[in-house]
Amino acid sequence: MMTAKEYASLVEREDFVPAQNRDLGIDKVYSAQSFWKDALGRFVKNRGAVFGLVMIVLIVVMAFAGPTLSGYDYRTQDMSQRNLPPHIAGWESAPIFSGVYTQYVNGEPIRSNVYTQKGIEDVTHIFGTDALGRDQFARTWTGTRVSLYVALVAILIDTFVGMSFGLVSGYYGGKLDFFLQRIVEILSTIPTTVIVTLLIVVMKPGLTSITVALMITEWIGMSRVTRAQTLRLKEREFVLASRTLGESTFSIIFREILPNIFGQIIVMCMMTIPNAIFTEAFLAFIGLGIPAPLASLGSLISDGFKSMTMYPFLVLFPVTVLALLMLSFNLMADGLRDAFDPKMKEM
């Protein structure tokens, strides 16, 4: 017969503890969560992606509010205030916006407050002025609008042209796919710079020619990704079931295939934006961008580069805004990729 001491030792080992008092390792039932809510949760946990999104919002706000806040028009010239360093009235003790500029006379550096010398201590030029006395703050944020316009155009082109081209080519296949892919190969071999140069011959240089150039070549990457995903999905069981039940081709493409590749399309759009922004900046830098007096980040960098050794602030601020804009879109694209396909993060 078991003694009390032996029974107590068994209880301590949980061999004879009632089931309602023991953790039997039963699986817990969690509340159902939609794909989009789950992706949003992963995106919010990605600090880099959240930082990129916040920076994009701030840059968009400043692009539309910045020129108004400066109190100057980006076209207004004042030759009496040309090449002024950054200055904010009342911030003379600040290291950047004090208005102090180092000039070299006979090889000797001389630091002086240009605003005090000119008697304009109450004048504010946050980013300074260019060689024509135009406010760089207003021109920088006006130029940012051009970059954001190019980003919007890239999204629209990718969404409507590239996505449609890839869906049709991948779903129908056969001779149509062969013909469409030969068009893609021909267009992909032509550099964007050559296309813009040819367009300028028949069109005026500006946003119109850049937009047309982007419409010719920018959608190629999106079409290839969409086609590859469509080829992978069109033989899946749910697509074959829809086809067997008599669903139309339009319904199968836009109700069965498209929702399953929408995540990849969004990521591809985000990754295309920095490339489009850089393309516009590069074209403006080599003189194929928008004409004066309009400004873009590329044209501002090009103008500031010519006098970078004398007035480095003319190129510093446009480069910083352009770098932040491209970095933010890249960080956001990486965050979206990890949110929609967490397995990619492990690769």
Side-chain angles (χ1 to χ4, degrees):
M1 190 168 182
M2 185 181 297
T3 64
K5 188 176 180 180
E6 292 175 342
Y7 177 77
S9 64
L10 289 176
V11 171
E12 289 178 359
R13 296 202 310 266
E14 296 187 355
D15 291 341
F16 292 94
V17 175
Q20 62 269 22
N21 298 333
R22 296 176 59 184
D23 184 8
L24 300 179
I26 299 176
D27 294 337
K28 296 181 180 180
V29 179
Y30 296 93
S31 59
Q33 200 171 33
S34 66
F35 170 77
W36 293 101
K37 188 175 181 180
D38 187 47
L40 178 61
R42 286 194 294 266
F43 180 83
V44 172
K45 292 179 182 179
N46 190 324
R47 296 182 180 180
V50 174
F51 172 79
L53 177 61
V54 171
M55 289 304 303
I56 291 172
V57 172
L58 290 177
I59 291 174
V60 170
V61 171
M62 288 303 300
F64 290 94
T68 304
L69 295 175
S70 68
Y72 298 94
D73 187 85
Y74 72 95
R75 296 165 295 186
T76 303
Q77 302 179 16
D78 188 350
M79 297 303 294
S80 64
Q81 299 184 12
R82 58 195 300 265
N83 294 325
L84 293 179
H87 175 259
I88 298 178
W91 287 30
E92 282 72 17
S93 59
I96 299 177
F97 305 104
S98 60
V100 176
Y101 178 66
T102 302
Q103 296 176 324
Y104 290 86
V105 179
N106 297 326
E108 296 293 331
I110 300 176
R111 290 175 58 84
S112 60
N113 192 315
V114 182
Y115 291 82
T116 302
Q117 293 177 355
K118 293 179 176 289
I120 52 175
E121 295 90 344
D122 57 339
V123 173
T124 295
H125 291 292
I126 301 177
F127 290 172
T129 59
D130 62 4
L132 297 177
R134 295 174 295 192
D135 183 74
Q136 279 291 96
F137 188 81
R139 290 182 63 78
T140 298
W141 294 118
T142 301
T144 306
R145 295 179 184 177
V146 176
S147 297
L148 294 175
Y149 165 81
V150 171
L152 178 62
V153 169
I155 292 176
L156 294 177
I157 292 173
D158 273 359
T159 303
F160 293 103
V161 181
M163 183 186 71
S164 302
F165 200 94
L167 285 171
V168 172
S169 178
Y171 184 80
Y172 285 98
K175 295 182 179 179
L176 179 61
D177 180 46
F178 178 83
F179 175 73
L180 294 179
Q181 291 310 302
R182 300 295 80 76
I183 295 177
V184 169
E185 291 175 358
I186 293 173
L187 293 177
S188 62
T189 58
I190 306 175
T192 305
T193 306
V194 175
I195 295 176
V196 174
T197 304
L198 294 176
L199 289 174
I200 290 176
V201 176
V202 296
M203 301 173 61
K204 294 181 180 179
L207 284 177
T208 303
S209 58
I210 294 176
T211 302
V212 174
L214 292 176
M215 291 179 65
I216 294 175
T217 60
E218 194 63 30
W219 53 271
I220 293 176
M222 172 63 78
S223 70
R224 286 174 171 169
V225 172
T226 306
R227 174 180 176 270
Q229 294 295 325
T230 304
L231 289 173
R232 181 177 65 87
L233 292 175
K234 73 175 185 177
E235 300 300 333
R236 296 287 294 271
E237 291 79 2
F238 63 92
V239 176
L240 295 176
S242 298
R243 194 179 301 156
T244 304
L245 293 173
E247 290 286 342
S248 63
T249 301
F250 181 87
S251 177
I252 294 175
I253 291 177
F254 289 96
R255 290 186 179 180
E256 303 295 339
I257 296 178
L258 182 58
N260 286 280
I261 64 174
F262 199 67
Q264 291 87 340
I265 290 175
I266 293 177
V267 173
M268 193 64 189
C269 284
M270 291 296 104
M271 296 221 172
T272 304
I273 291 174
N275 183 45
I277 293 175
F278 178 78
T279 300
E280 185 278 326
F282 171 73
L283 293 174
F285 184 82
I286 63 177
L288 298 178
I290 60 178
L294 293 175
S296 71
L297 293 177
S299 62
L300 292 174
I301 294 171
S302 178
D303 294 339
F305 181 77
K306 299 173 184 177
S307 56
M308 184 174 62
T309 56
M310 291 290 294
Y311 309 105
F313 56 87
L314 292 179
V315 70
L316 174 63
F317 296 107
V319 164
T320 302
V321 174
L322 179 62
L324 283 175
L325 189 60
M326 295 183 64
L327 175 64
S328 299
F329 275 114
N330 276 318
L331 290 174
M332 186 175 173
D334 289 339
L336 288 174
R337 181 195 61 196
D338 296 338
F340 287 120
D341 191 359
K343 295 181 181 179
M344 290 292 294
K345 193 175 182 179
E346 302 174 359
M347 296 179 63

